[in-house]
Amino acid sequence: MDSVIRGLVVYFFLLVIFRISGKRTISEATSFELVLLLIISETTQQAMVDSDHSITNAFLLIITLIGTSVALSLIKHKLPFFERWLEGLPFVIVEKGKLHKERMNKARIDESDILEAARSLEGLERLDQVKYAIVERGGEITIVPVERSQK
Amino acid sequence: MMPEPKRVGDIEVAQNLKHQKLEWKIERVCWVVMAMVVLAALAGLLGHGPLSRARAGDQGSILWAEYNRFERYQGPTTIRVHLGPGAGQAGKARLWVDRSFIENIELNHIDPEPESVEAAGDRFVYVFLVADATRVTSVTFHFEPNKYGRMPVRLGLDGGPELSFGQFLYP
């Protein structure tokens, strides 16, 4: 019984923590943040497994975690309200070439982030070539260049 | 099911600015809460720390103890019991501890090692050799709590004063 409760508590705690840390943190993972993730997983693992190193306990925890994930995906599929809160929504930060500064500040995104996405995704050179920039649900920035949308 | 996409300019995207603003607001409130949790932990409200340290009994009396108000499940900790002058008789001090406390913890060791332990009803009596009964000495219990919530602790000198206090154990 203990391991199921532990698994659930840890699952929802991590869900909330990663959600409130903001989108930028996960998608922007630098090598340091990768190390941070490894430390987090190690810390979590010890609290979750406790001192019970049996296979039964391991199986139970894995089933609990995967089961919760499946259950949540089912709920999200049926109820858009849950999806909105659990995954977030995309939002536009560049609209017809105009920057939405306030949204960018709230999401901790600056022009260089947009330019980086523009370069890597579309090979663009300047900000005025970006017609739309959207922060997707996973935190990554997608770009619609001026030329293509005019075609 | 992704919420219905709406038209923003020329593109279709499931943007919902009302939701987005609320989300950002909640996000910032949660950051403050996280900062408060860290400060509370530094202060000792979630385990060891200045606000956690406590004393039961009067310092300098025949029996007093130092402990932490807040502890954590399976976190190593100590209770230090001070035995004042007169606590030992005939070279021995007899300190009893409530059985329910011992049953709620994993007792790692006691410094100094007791000479013997006696089971006496709902108590365990630890007998310590005392070299000089006119001076203050102390006994430290090193243990890990095995339960959550409030844990009452009762201990005392056989035929002498007793101390009663509680520790709160976080899961």
Side-chain angles (χ1 to χ4, degrees):
Chain A
M1 185 194 84
D2 256 24
S3 18
V4 175
I5 296 172
R6 276 167 195 279
L8 288 175
V9 169
V10 166
Y11 187 100
F12 285 103
F13 175 76
L14 288 180
L15 189 75
V16 170
I17 281 290
F18 277 95
R19 198 74 178 78
I20 62 176
S21 69
K23 289 177 173 177
R24 297 298 294 157
T25 30
I26 305 167
S27 67
E28 237 190 359
T30 58
S31 49
F32 173 69
E33 279 159 347
L34 192 69
V35 174
L36 213 59
L37 276 180
L38 290 177
I39 298 172
I40 292 173
S41 66
E42 176 77 2
T43 317
T44 319
Q45 176 251 330
Q46 291 186 7
M48 212 160 50
V49 175
D50 197 12
S51 47
D52 185 348
H53 298 293
S54 62
I55 293 182
T56 312
N57 190 40
F59 283 4
L60 208 53
L61 270 170
I62 292 167
I63 292 173
T64 305
L65 295 174
I66 301 283
T68 313
S69 184
V70 171
L72 282 182
S73 71
L74 283 174
I75 295 173
K76 279 189 285 194
H77 188 67
K78 297 273 177 215
L79 303 168
F81 173 80
F82 273 91
E83 165 121 49
R84 210 156 69 197
W85 282 107
L86 292 174
E87 306 258 306
L89 291 175
F91 56 94
V92 177
I93 47 173
V94 177
E95 193 174 341
K96 290 187 177 160
K98 183 179 147 267
L99 297 176
H100 284 290
K101 279 281 182 194
E102 196 202 328
R103 295 178 202 170
M104 286 167 64
N105 286 338
K106 291 273 192 202
R108 289 163 283 160
I109 292 169
D110 49 37
E111 287 173 25
S112 61
D113 293 318
I114 300 175
L115 281 170
E116 190 182 315
R119 279 196 301 272
S120 65
L121 298 173
E122 299 289 341
L124 300 183
E125 295 144 0
R126 297 180 312 275
L127 207 56
D128 60 24
Q129 294 169 323
V130 175
K131 188 169 187 197
Y132 287 96
I134 300 118
V135 178
E136 301 294 348
R137 294 186 299 169
E140 71 274 16
I141 300 170
T142 51
I143 300 287
V144 179
V146 171
E147 309 91 71
R148 191 203 291 168
S149 78
Q150 277 171 342
K151 271 178 205 165
Chain B
M1 188 174 75
M2 182 103 161
E4 284 290 295
K6 278 179 300 201
R7 191 96 183 189
V8 177
D10 300 323
I11 54 168
E12 282 185 353
V13 61
Q15 177 176 266
N16 181 341
L17 288 178
K18 208 175 129 200
H19 169 86
Q20 200 60 52
K21 280 178 182 153
L22 183 60
E23 205 173 87
W24 281 326
K25 215 171 269 174
I26 293 173
E27 196 177 277
R28 272 140 185 88
V29 170
C30 290
W31 293 351
V32 175
V33 173
M34 284 204 289
M36 276 158 53
V37 169
V38 173
L39 289 178
L42 286 174
L45 291 176
L46 296 173
H48 297 200
L51 292 179
S52 184
R53 265 174 235 136
R55 190 164 56 217
D58 298 322
Q59 189 168 7
S61 67
I62 192 167
L63 179 74
W64 79 97
E66 288 171 273
Y67 64 100
N68 282 306
R69 285 191 193 94
F70 306 104
E71 285 295 352
R72 295 177 204 148
Y73 173 74
Q74 290 196 341
T77 181
T78 57
I79 289 180
R80 176 174 273 195
V81 183
H82 298 275
L83 307 171
Q89 280 159 3
K92 287 180 182 178
R94 295 174 60 83
L95 180 74
W96 63 263
V97 180
D98 199 31
R99 175 191 283 271
S100 69
F101 167 67
I102 298 293
E103 281 168 357
N104 281 332
I105 63 168
E106 179 79 43
L107 185 59
N108 293 334
H109 65 277
I110 305 173
D111 275 336
E113 285 278 309
E115 187 204 28
S116 64
V117 187
E118 298 165 12
D122 59 350
R123 296 171 172 184
F124 285 179
V125 182
Y126 294 90
V127 182
F128 298 95
L129 295 176
V130 180
D132 182 357
T134 60
R135 287 170 60 186
V136 176
T137 186
S138 56
V139 170
T140 310
F141 289 79
H142 299 262
F143 62 95
E144 291 164 17
N146 264 334
K147 69 171 285 206
Y148 317 132
R150 213 189 113 78
M151 176 170 71
V153 184
R154 278 179 66 226
L155 52 87
L157 286 170
D158 217 9
E162 72 168 69
L163 301 174
S164 179
F165 52 89
Q167 290 185 303
F168 185 82
L169 307 171
Y170 289 98

